[in-house]
């Protein structure tokens, strides 16, 4: 008996998505190893980088709002503050990297830990924290979401639909892509105050009426990692994208319609963004897949100033999530919220509970799930049994069966059989694999699948079957010879066949596209999960959207990450891909309802989401277990319903300040946060009473009442009846019927919870839905009974 599934002790993660994944069938030891090492993966890899020959590090000094008359005066004030510490004005200018002058005040600088501590004690400073290096979270999806069926949007005049601007902070853009043509668009909106910054291979002509703004940021990256030229990698010192990730996310949001698009001839059709009439302002803050936080904050500062309506962030903090005052995503997005800008951010690809990032309640946090399309590759064994797998095989097969061999049985001289099972370079005997299909395993999820295929091809092999690949379905790959990834059940079938028949054979078929897959959506295995570790009473993520095998525009200077091919359109996976879907829906809502606040847009998206798949059953995880609000938040996004939600849960900056008070923020932290005086209530309002569209109680001890206020935004009188569903606790809602006479009226209701058994550390889930003949306004509930 030859084991196909090897134990791995090194779980890994990366961007959009060569993620660390736990297959449901993997052994308990593997799972425990992953938890104990706390290698939650995927969001980011961080290197602490010290100043040359000193103990200096790169710190961000955040100072909140400011009343200075100009950016120049802010820079001068920053230098003076830093000079008082360093005792040299010139030294202050040399130490500083970025200045945040437009939407809020702050700077980044190379400082010693002692200097950073002394700065944090200054009364004008909100927080001082080390700037970290982060990584990115990395067609049919819009049809799956039904965007073309929204009459309110389709009836809008083009000048209104094209007035919405989305800022994309990412790796830049490839402006020549057909997805960014500006056919049919009018002049750049007058409200836009941004720039088209020229640079290497990027001129003013590369901006148009689609890409109306372009900026790039590398100061912080180069201060830590050295000049870009030292990396021996292709890049342009401009907003031009050589990674592909930024081009992909931007085109998903607002790409123009392009016909006859496919991925190696698969998944063919018309590629389009969710709001092809919207404008894009591009902020390149990531280089070689790494994003320095100080650069990111500079990009958000500019985006707010430039007048964008929505900001899309397919990147986020390293798990565990830092506190809000020490997290650039929370800081930047808070000031965006103040200015009426919706911020959508990916929740991350870290797999495990409590790893969801970008959890600030003013951010719309996005999980990832599938659409109803699969790219399948089939293996037919010599006994005529068919195994379903996943990959991208576009070359016609030879129409014949090939002998099968385990990598463990083809070890090169002196190589242990276990090492040979991974099919890495110099581990296989070419005499044993020649003319055969080799069955290989993963050592870690960082394994380069194409390298395995190249190794087999160079040894004369005919194909590769990658067994028990937990990422195979969600992250497709195309390799140097016919290859396929199969799951655990199929791996067991293959193993049984190969152990039974000495001269076992197989044939790998071309990949085919299947649409109408049921069930869909299914939660992506890599998608980061709640609960929220910073504010546990706020359920995170907020929403799920398509993030698996999404086809969108790409940079031809970027390879597809598998066979090294240049592509104009690529198919990739991650919460990086689901985030721009939600950003596009936010832009669509802003078009239809230009006066809606970020909280109203968030509420409409969350309360109209669906928790059922296309079979009518509850949404599942990939292991067929029932998904919960910690997987999908309020559910799967429904753009059609979100346009007309009926009721909304609204909140403003003052409400957020009260929430921060209840979370333990100090007066000194809060006083510079806004331009108005800040006072905390005594006692502060409990975080479970923050007027959020979902309802969370992280510590229920006995009895507790939760309050929410809804605002009616319909027409004419309306009556809503409540449906309260939850197990594990007793609950009742009062009043259970609410009545409105006109739009804008508010009603407050109360939910009384009573514990009757301990949850033993796990949450009980349920929902409260307000319904009438036109609307269904649903809030998920998560309650943890810690003591009776």
């Amino acid at each position: 008996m030859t084991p196909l599934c090897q134990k791995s002790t090194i779980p890994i993660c990366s961007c959009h998505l060569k993620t660390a994944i736990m297959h449901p069938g993997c052994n308990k030891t593997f799972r425990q190893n992953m938890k104990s090492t706390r290698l939650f993966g995927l969001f980011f890899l961080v290197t602490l980088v010290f100043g040359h020959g000193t103990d200096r590090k790169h710190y961000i000094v955040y100072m909140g709002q400011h009343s200075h008359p100009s950016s120049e005066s802010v820079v001068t004030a920053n230098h003076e503050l830093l000079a008082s510490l360093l005792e040299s004005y010139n030294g202050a200018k040399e130490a500083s990297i970025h200045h945040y002058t437009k939407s809020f005040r702050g700077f980044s600088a190379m400082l010693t830990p002692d200097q950073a501590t002394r700065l944090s004690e200054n009364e004008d400073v909100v927080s001082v924290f080390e700037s970290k290096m982060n990584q990115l979270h990395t067609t049919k999806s819009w049809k799956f979401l039904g965007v073309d069926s929204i009459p309110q949007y389709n009836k809008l005049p083009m000048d209104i639909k094209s007035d919405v601007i989305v800022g994309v902070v990412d790796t830049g853009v490839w402006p020549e892509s057909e997805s960014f043509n500006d056919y049919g668009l009018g002049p750049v909106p007058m409200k836009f105050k941004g720039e088209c910054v020229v640079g290497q291979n990027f001129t003013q002509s590369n901006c148009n009426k689609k890409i109306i703004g372009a900026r790039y940021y590398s100061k912080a990256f180069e201060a830590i990692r050295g000049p870009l030229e030292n990396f021996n990698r292709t890049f342009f010192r401009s907003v031009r994208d050589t990674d592909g990730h930024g081009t992909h996310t931007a085109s998903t949001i607002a790409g123009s319609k392009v016909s006859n698009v496919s991925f190696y001839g698969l998944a063919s059709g018309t590629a389009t963004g969710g709001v092809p009439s919207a404008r894009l302002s591009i902020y390149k803050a990531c280089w070689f897949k790494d994003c320095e936080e100080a650069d990111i904050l500079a990009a958000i500062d500019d985006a707010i100033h430039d007048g964008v309506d929505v900001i899309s962030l397919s990147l986020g903090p390293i798990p565990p999530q830092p506190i809000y005052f020490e997290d650039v995503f929370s800081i930047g997005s808070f000031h965006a919220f103040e200015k009426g800008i919706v911020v959508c951010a990916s929740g991350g690809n870290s797999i495990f509970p409590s790893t969801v990032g970008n959890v600030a309640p003013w951010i719309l946090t996005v999980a990832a799930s599938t659409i109803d399309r699969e790219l399948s590759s089939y293996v037919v064994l010599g006994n005529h049994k068919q195994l379903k797998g996943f990959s991208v095989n576009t070359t016609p097969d030879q129409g014949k069966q090939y002998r099968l061999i385990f990598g463990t049985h083809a070890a090169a001289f002196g190589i242990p059989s276990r090492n040979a099972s991974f099919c890495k370079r110099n581990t296989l005997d070419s005499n044993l694999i020649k003319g055969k299909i080799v069955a290989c395993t993963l050592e870690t999820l960082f394994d380069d699948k194409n390298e395995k295929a190249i190794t087999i091809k160079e040894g004369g092999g005919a194909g590769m079957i990658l067994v028990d690949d937990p990422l195979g379905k969600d992250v497709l790959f195309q390799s140097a010879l016919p290859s396929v990834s199969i799951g655990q059940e199929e791996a067991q079938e293959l193993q049984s066949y190969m152990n039974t028949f000495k001269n076992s054979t197989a044939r790998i078929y071309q990949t085919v596209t299947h649409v109408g897959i049921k069930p869909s959506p299914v939660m992506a295995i890599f998608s980061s999960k709640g609960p929220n570790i910073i504010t546990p009473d706020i359920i995170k993520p907020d929403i799920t959207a398509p993030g698996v095998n999404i086809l969108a525009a790409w940079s031809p200077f970027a390879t597809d990450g598998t066979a090294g091919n240049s592509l104009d359109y690529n198919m990739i996976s991650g919460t990086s891909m689901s985030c721009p879907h939600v950003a596009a829906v936010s832009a669509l809502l802003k078009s239809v309802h230009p006066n809606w606040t970020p909280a109203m847009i968030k509420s409409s998206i969350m309360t109209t989401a669906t928790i059922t798949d296309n079979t009518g059953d509850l949404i599942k995880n990939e292991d067929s277990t029932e998904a919960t609000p910690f997987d999908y938040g309020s559910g799967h996004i429904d753009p059609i319903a979100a346009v007309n939600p009926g009721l909304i849960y609204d909140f403003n900056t003052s409400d957020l300040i009260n929430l921060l008070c209840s979370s333990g923020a100090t007066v000194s932290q809060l006083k510079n946060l806004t331009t108005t005086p800040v006072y905390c209530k005594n006692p502060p309002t409990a975080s479970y009473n923050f007027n959020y569209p979902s309802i969370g109680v992280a510590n229920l001890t006995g009895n507790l009442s939760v309050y929410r206020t809804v605002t009616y935004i319909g027409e004419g009188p309306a009556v809503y009846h409540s449906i309260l569903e939850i197990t594990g606790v007793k609950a009742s809602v009062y009043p259970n019927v609410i009545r409105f006479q006109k739009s804008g009226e508010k009603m407050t209701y109360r939910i009384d919870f009573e514990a009757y058994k301990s949850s033993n550390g796990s949450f009980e889930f349920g929902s409260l839905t307000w319904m009438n003949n036109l609307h269904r306004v649903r809030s998920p509930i998560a309650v943890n009974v810690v003591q009776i």
Side-chain angles (χ1 to χ4, degrees):
M1 181 75 172
T2 304
L4 289 176
C5 303
Q6 303 287 343
K7 293 182 180 179
S8 173
T9 59
I10 311 178
I12 27 58
C13 307
S14 135
C15 38
H16 53 258
L17 184 73
K18 294 171 184 172
T19 17
I21 293 297
M22 280 297 303
H23 191 282
C26 288
N27 60 72
K28 292 181 180 178
T29 302
F30 187 14
R31 187 179 297 273
Q32 290 166 353
N33 286 338
M34 292 187 81
K35 289 183 177 179
S36 64
T37 55
R38 294 180 63 82
L39 293 177
F40 292 126
L42 196 350
F43 264 145
F44 321 93
L45 302 175
V46 177
T47 303
L48 295 178
V49 183
F50 293 81
H52 301 291
T54 74
D55 62 348
R56 294 192 307 161
K57 301 178 181 180
H58 188 197
Y59 286 92
I60 294 173
V61 181
Y62 170 55
M63 305 177 72
Q65 291 279 19
H66 69 81
S67 56
H68 289 272
S70 65
S71 292
E72 292 75 16
S73 63
V74 175
V75 173
T76 299
N78 288 348
H79 283 152
E80 289 173 348
L81 172 62
L82 196 51
S84 68
L85 178 75
L86 302 180
E87 300 180 352
S88 167
Y89 193 84
N90 287 335
K93 293 176 69 174
E94 291 175 2
S96 58
I97 306 296
H98 274 299
H99 291 277
Y100 310 114
T101 65
K102 297 174 181 176
S103 310
F104 46 87
R105 181 186 172 190
F107 60 91
S108 72
M110 301 300 295
L111 302 168
T112 66
D114 177 66
Q115 291 167 341
T117 300
R118 287 159 57 195
L119 259 182
S120 68
E121 296 168 352
N122 188 290
E123 64 177 8
D124 292 331
V125 173
V126 176
S127 59
V128 179
F129 53 97
E130 189 177 347
S131 178
K132 304 179 186 68
M133 192 71 75
N134 296 330
Q135 284 191 329
L136 304 159
H137 289 166
T138 210
T139 67
K140 178 75 168 65
S141 57
W142 289 115
K143 185 175 181 181
F144 182 58
L145 293 176
V147 166
D148 290 340
S149 303
I150 300 176
Q152 296 97 322
Y153 178 74
N154 293 330
K155 291 178 182 178
L156 287 175
M158 176 57 78
D159 61 337
I160 294 177
K161 290 196 288 188
S162 64
D163 194 47
V164 174
I165 306 167
V166 182
V168 184
V169 181
D170 214 296
T171 66
V173 70
W174 191 262
E176 288 82 7
S177 171
E178 277 299 305
S179 289
F180 302 117
N181 78 73
D182 61 359
Y183 178 76
L185 295 177
V188 173
M190 292 291 293
K191 65 182 180 181
F192 185 64
K193 297 183 291 183
E195 299 178 30
C196 181
V197 177
V198 301
Q200 186 181 7
N201 285 53
F202 195 94
T203 67
Q204 287 282 342
S205 64
N206 291 125
C207 289
N208 58 12
K209 290 178 287 186
K210 168 63 69 176
I211 301 173
I212 62 173
R215 299 178 187 267
Y216 64 98
Y217 311 81
S218 64
K219 285 183 180 179
F221 182 96
E222 293 185 275
I224 298 301
R225 300 280 292 273
L228 298 172
E229 289 76 10
N230 289 357
F231 284 79
N232 196 30
R233 300 267 300 275
T234 300
F235 75 93
F236 296 103
R237 194 175 282 277
S238 68
V239 80
R240 184 173 290 278
D241 183 16
T242 54
D243 176 84
H245 190 277
T247 300
H248 196 281
T249 56
S251 65
T252 300
I253 296 168
S256 302
K257 290 186 177 181
V258 182
S259 59
N260 300 318
V261 168
S262 69
F263 179 59
Y264 294 111
L266 301 166
S268 59
T270 298
T272 181
V275 276
S277 59
R279 317 303 181 105
L280 291 166
S281 188
I282 306 298
Y283 304 87
K284 180 178 178 179
C286 302
W287 304 84
F288 317 125
K289 294 183 170 62
D290 286 338
C291 320
E292 173 65 30
E293 287 185 341
D295 288 333
I296 295 167
L297 193 57
I300 298 174
D301 184 23
D302 278 338
I304 296 169
H305 170 268
D306 291 347
V308 304
D309 299 290
V310 178
I311 294 176
S312 181
L313 299 168
S314 286
L315 56 162
I318 306 158
Q321 163 91 38
I323 64 171
Y324 301 138
F325 292 104
E326 297 181 1
D327 172 41
V328 296
F329 304 96
S330 300
I331 290 168
S333 59
F334 179 88
H335 292 282
F337 179 92
E338 276 194 305
K339 298 295 173 61
I341 300 169
V342 180
V343 178
C344 302
S346 49
N349 309 317
S350 296
I351 310 161
F352 293 115
S354 303
T355 61
V356 62
N358 289 316
V359 299
W362 48 88
I363 295 175
L364 192 43
T365 311
V366 188
S369 44
T370 65
I371 61 174
D372 62 342
R373 179 183 64 201
E374 281 184 354
L375 270 60
S376 305
S377 297
Y378 292 90
V379 179
V380 176
L381 304 179
N383 61 0
H384 305 296
K385 288 190 176 180
Q386 179 175 274
L387 305 181
K388 183 179 181 180
F390 301 93
S391 67
V392 181
N393 291 313
T394 57
T395 303
D397 65 84
Q398 301 281 317
K400 59 180 286 189
Q401 300 279 116
Y402 291 92
R403 288 279 305 278
L404 284 165
I405 189 170
F406 292 120
T408 50
H409 292 168
F413 180 76
I415 301 297
S417 60
R418 181 179 184 275
N419 290 10
S421 72
F422 306 134
C423 301
K424 295 190 174 181
R425 289 192 179 276
N426 304 316
T427 63
L428 299 176
D429 185 333
S430 59
N431 293 320
L432 296 176
I433 67 171
K434 187 175 182 179
K436 298 176 183 176
I437 295 174
V438 186
C440 307
T441 62
L442 291 170
E443 182 177 18
T444 75
L445 293 170
F446 267 139
D447 282 6
D448 186 333
K449 298 176 184 179
N450 194 49
E451 181 188 11
K452 297 176 188 290
I454 291 172
T455 297
I456 295 169
K457 182 177 182 180
E458 290 177 347
M464 177 180 72
I465 300 176
L466 196 57
V467 302
D468 196 18
D469 177 14
L471 279 179
K473 183 177 181 179
D474 287 352
V475 186
L476 300 174
F477 75 102
Q478 194 237 10
S479 64
L481 80 172
S483 303
V484 63
S485 290
I486 60 175
Q488 188 180 57
E489 185 177 331
E490 289 77 15
Q492 291 172 347
E493 182 75 38
L494 176 66
Q495 180 171 283
S496 174
Y497 167 66
M498 291 177 69
N499 288 334
T500 302
F501 296 94
K502 182 178 180 181
N503 295 320
S504 56
T505 62
R507 177 180 173 184
I508 298 174
Y509 281 76
Q510 275 185 279
T511 302
V512 293
T513 303
H514 294 300
V515 296
I517 296 296
K518 295 183 178 182
S520 297
V522 174
M523 293 307 302
I525 193 169
F526 55 77
S527 189
S528 293
K529 300 168 180 59
N532 177 347
I533 66 170
I534 302 299
T535 313
D537 290 331
I538 303 295
I539 297 174
K540 289 286 181 170
D542 292 314
I543 198 77
T544 190
V548 175
N549 298 326
I550 303 302
L551 181 62
W554 196 246
S555 166
F557 267 74
T559 65
D560 63 1
T562 53
N565 298 316
S566 174
L567 296 170
D568 293 322
Y569 288 84
N570 196 10
M571 184 176 284
I572 55 178
S573 299
T575 53
S576 278
M577 283 63 255
S578 55
C579 171
H581 282 85
V582 178
V585 174
S586 299
L588 185 152
L589 294 177
K590 194 69 175 178
S591 297
V592 178
H593 304 289
N595 296 322
W596 275 15
T597 66
M600 295 171 74
I601 290 175
K602 174 194 278 273
S603 177
S604 67
I605 288 173
M606 292 174 63
T607 60
T608 58
T610 178
I611 61 167
T612 55
D613 58 32
N614 57 3
T615 71
D617 290 336
L618 295 174
I619 293 174
K620 303 291 195 303
N621 293 308
E622 286 198 1
D623 62 358
S624 297
T625 60
E626 190 174 303
T628 75
F630 289 161
D631 298 305
Y632 54 53
S634 293
H636 189 260
I637 194 167
D638 184 345
I640 298 174
V643 172
N644 183 20
L647 304 175
I648 56 102
Y649 294 82
D650 203 4
F651 56 86
N652 56 31
T653 303
S654 296
D655 298 318
L656 291 174
I657 295 296
N658 289 332
L659 176 66
L660 292 171
C661 289
S662 70
S663 301
T666 65
V667 173
S668 61
Q669 285 177 319
L670 294 171
K671 71 182 182 68
N672 293 322
L673 201 58
T674 67
T675 54
T676 56
V678 172
Y679 304 98
C680 286
K681 297 178 181 178
N682 190 15
T685 303
S687 56
Y688 53 74
N689 280 330
F690 178 66
N691 203 44
Y692 209 64
S694 57
I695 299 166
V697 180
N699 293 284
L700 178 61
T701 57
N703 300 334
L704 184 112
S705 294
V706 172
Y707 294 86
R708 289 289 188 275
T709 299
V710 290
T711 303
Y712 175 54
I713 56 172
E715 297 180 2
V719 179
Y720 285 83
H721 297 264
S722 65
I723 300 175
L724 181 61
E725 299 174 303
I726 190 168
T727 60
V729 295
K730 295 179 181 178
S732 58
V733 59
Y734 179 82
N736 59 7
V737 178
I738 51 178
R739 293 177 169 83
F740 301 93
Q741 294 301 313
K742 59 182 180 179
S743 181
E745 284 186 342
K746 299 178 183 292
M747 289 289 295
T748 297
Y749 66 84
R750 183 185 80 234
I751 303 179
D752 297 325
F753 293 103
E754 180 182 350
Y756 65 86
K757 68 174 183 177
S758 174
S759 298
N760 296 319
S762 62
F763 280 75
E764 304 288 348
F765 299 106
S767 65
L768 172 65
T769 305
W770 293 101
M771 294 187 66
N772 63 15
N773 292 333
L774 295 176
H775 300 106
R776 179 180 177 276
V777 186
R778 183 182 181 277
S779 294
I781 298 174
V783 178
N784 181 29
V785 181
V786 296
Q787 182 180 348
I788 299 178

